[in-house]
Amino acid sequence: MNTNNQKMSSRRFAKTSAGNAAEKLISRQVMEKDDFVALLGDFGNQETGKRLKEEALRLRTQYYGRQVFARGLIEFTNYCKNNCHYCGIRGANRNAARYRLSQKEILECCREGYRLGFRTFVLQGGEDPFYTDEKMAAIVREIKRRYPDCALTLSLGERTRESYRLLREAGADRYLLRHETADEAHYRLLHPAGMSLENRRRCLYNLKSLGYQVGAGMMVGSPGQTLWCLAEDLLFLQRLQPQMVGLGPFIPHHDTCFATEAPGSVELTLYLLSIVRILLPGVLLPATTALGTLDPCGREKGLLAGANVVMPNLSPLKNRKQYELYDDKACTGEEAAECLGCLKQRVEDAGFTLVSGRGDARQL
Ligand code: SAM
């Protein structure tokens, strides 16, 4: 969705029911697609933006006080059998220098993370068949054996229900699987044949039914995205009621089909973070690295818009640059401890407190 379109839509919808849509959201009524369209069409209207941001902050304070949860992100493989058109580690990218972490290396990341105070670890990777259910379950079991007080989040992409069941049984608590877009045609534009929105949705519902705390989400400003796609995303989130939502701007990667596309808008991402906080008040909502990549103060702005999670990188320093989903990814060159110290300060400067602890989603 380019900026001109956004402005045009903004004017068009501002005349209709945008203000009403914001009030409807704030009064916690069930939103229809048209309500979301009107709300998104009002992006750029300062009054609505201010109203939503204030309400988002009020709710995040009601649910979580000033706390910001830190998750230790371990990017353990950049091999991927998929070919998502937007992603730098897509299987067809011959220029990606591939790596995999052994169980020992993953455990070493956790050891360092635990020492630094992390109590949630997020294991994220491309869809790498090397990590069979048996291998993955063994890793999960060992992490949970060593750190029973920690929550373990997996983000391994689409797997079978049986695979999710085994990993849950092994001790995994949470699973992040962004739906990417809830609009069928847009999904097909972003992904090759063979991948489907239907399967993505099925995976999310499977995860939910197995008792995982589930995270869905989307990129903001991905090629071909319209206001209607985003309205569909919000509708999907309203239906799914996930405990976590991953929401960050799209950023082009030079070795993908979308190399020359414009990045997503930081402002629109912030607007959406506020909307999601109001829609799902108890949600765990990261201020993403992508937001921090496009704007040096992006993560702080994300927290002030309603986010309450940050995910510093715990991957070995030598591999960080190789997990290159998009160009100029932030925080690939610092030691975990250094990165955490600086982040703690920045979170405090924004008026929040970085806390360790599992930080599960809250319901009031
Ligand atoms: N394979 C797992 C999956 O599919 O969920 C996890 C890894 S995947 C690389 C993690 C997330 O990175 C994706 O859900 C996607 O939203 C995000 N991502 C990939 N390429 C991106 C890009 N160019 N800009 C912003 N985010 C991107």
Side-chain angles (χ1 to χ4, degrees):
M1 193 163 58
N2 69 37
T3 320
N4 285 341
N5 283 346
Q6 282 161 12
K7 282 194 187 129
M8 272 168 44
S9 317
S10 172
R11 276 196 289 276
R12 188 145 41 98
F13 286 100
K15 282 189 201 136
T16 60
S17 56
N20 292 345
E23 291 313 318
K24 189 169 175 182
L25 177 74
I26 288 169
S27 60
R28 307 292 317 285
Q29 294 173 51
V30 175
M31 299 283 280
E32 309 292 335
K33 185 162 177 186
D34 285 351
D35 300 325
F36 283 128
V37 170
L39 194 58
L40 290 163
D42 210 24
F43 167 63
N45 176 327
Q46 290 198 345
E47 214 174 294
T48 310
K50 186 164 171 280
R51 176 92 174 101
L52 292 173
K53 189 176 163 183
E54 280 171 5
E55 181 61 9
L57 261 186
R58 190 189 71 74
L59 284 168
R60 74 91 69 212
T61 310
Q62 186 185 350
Y63 279 73
Y64 293 101
R66 305 303 286 177
Q67 294 186 331
V68 172
F69 301 114
R71 316 303 199 197
L73 178 63
I74 305 168
E75 297 160 335
F76 71 100
T77 172
N78 72 350
Y79 281 86
C80 191
K81 67 178 165 64
N82 283 340
N83 261 310
C84 307
H85 298 323
Y86 45 83
C87 187
I89 63 167
R90 62 203 299 265
N93 180 8
R94 300 233 169 125
N95 296 325
R98 304 286 170 177
Y99 73 93
R100 285 187 180 109
L101 300 190
S102 64
Q103 173 164 332
K104 191 163 166 249
E105 286 173 304
I106 293 172
L107 289 167
E108 185 52 38
C109 295
C110 295
R111 197 183 62 79
E112 172 65 359
Y114 195 87
R115 190 186 68 76
L116 291 169
F118 289 97
R119 295 296 178 269
T120 290
F121 301 118
V122 181
L123 289 188
Q124 188 181 90
E127 291 199 18
D128 182 354
F130 173 84
Y131 296 92
T132 57
D133 292 344
E134 291 67 32
K135 283 201 183 96
M136 217 50 238
I139 294 169
V140 168
R141 233 178 270 115
E142 189 54 22
I143 294 176
K144 292 296 285 192
R145 190 186 68 77
R146 293 190 187 192
Y147 308 105
D149 53 333
C150 290
L152 182 58
T153 305
L154 300 178
S155 181
L156 319 173
E158 298 173 20
R159 298 172 85 101
T160 60
R161 188 175 200 285
E162 180 57 11
S163 170
Y164 290 148
R165 195 189 64 72
L166 286 169
L167 298 175
R168 175 89 183 110
E169 217 173 69
D173 304 280
R174 306 180 185 143
Y175 204 102
L176 292 177
L177 183 74
R178 288 185 179 182
H179 63 279
E180 312 297 0
T181 172
D183 179 279
E184 289 282 356
H186 189 217
Y187 194 93
R188 283 195 297 276
L189 183 89
L190 297 180
H191 300 95
M195 291 184 74
S196 73
L197 177 57
E198 192 193 354
N199 194 46
R200 202 83 179 167
R201 279 205 210 102
R202 183 169 36 239
C203 286
L204 280 162
Y205 281 102
N206 279 340
L207 288 161
K208 225 179 165 203
S209 69
L210 288 163
Y212 283 93
Q213 295 172 43
V214 169
M218 63 279 189
M219 289 175 289
V220 178
S222 56
Q225 186 178 63
T226 63
L227 197 132
W228 284 267
C229 299
L230 284 171
E232 204 60 66
D233 289 326
L234 292 171
L235 208 54
F236 177 66
L237 293 176
Q238 179 176 254
R239 282 197 202 109
L240 180 70
Q241 294 285 312
Q243 286 86 0
M244 306 171 279
V245 172
L247 188 71
F250 159 77
I251 305 177
H253 182 283
H254 58 277
D255 277 326
T256 62
C257 333
F258 295 143
T260 58
E261 296 286 338
S265 148
V266 168
E267 288 305 321
L268 182 58
T269 306
L270 298 173
Y271 189 71
L272 281 158
L273 284 172
S274 294
I275 292 175
V276 170
R277 167 63 60 207
I278 302 169
L279 186 66
L280 308 165
V283 78
L284 296 164
L285 194 58
T288 59
T289 306
L291 198 54
T293 298
L294 285 188
D295 181 332
C297 296
R299 281 194 290 203
E300 289 89 334
K301 289 180 182 173
L303 296 177
L304 290 164
N308 64 335
V309 172
V310 287
M311 295 170 69
N313 203 322
L314 272 184
S315 316
L317 203 51
K318 67 179 168 58
N319 299 117
R320 279 191 206 167
K321 282 200 197 311
Q322 289 167 272
Y323 199 80
E324 191 189 44
L325 307 180
Y326 45 80
D327 291 340
D328 304 320
K329 190 170 159 224
C331 288
T332 53
E334 291 158 318
E335 299 290 350
E338 211 177 275
C339 179
L340 191 64
C342 152
L343 190 64
K344 196 166 187 298
Q345 190 57 53
R346 294 176 65 157
V347 166
E348 275 169 24
D349 291 346
F352 300 98
T353 316
L354 196 65
V355 292
S356 52
R358 288 172 49 111
D360 288 301
R362 291 196 188 141
Q363 296 206 318
L364 293 184

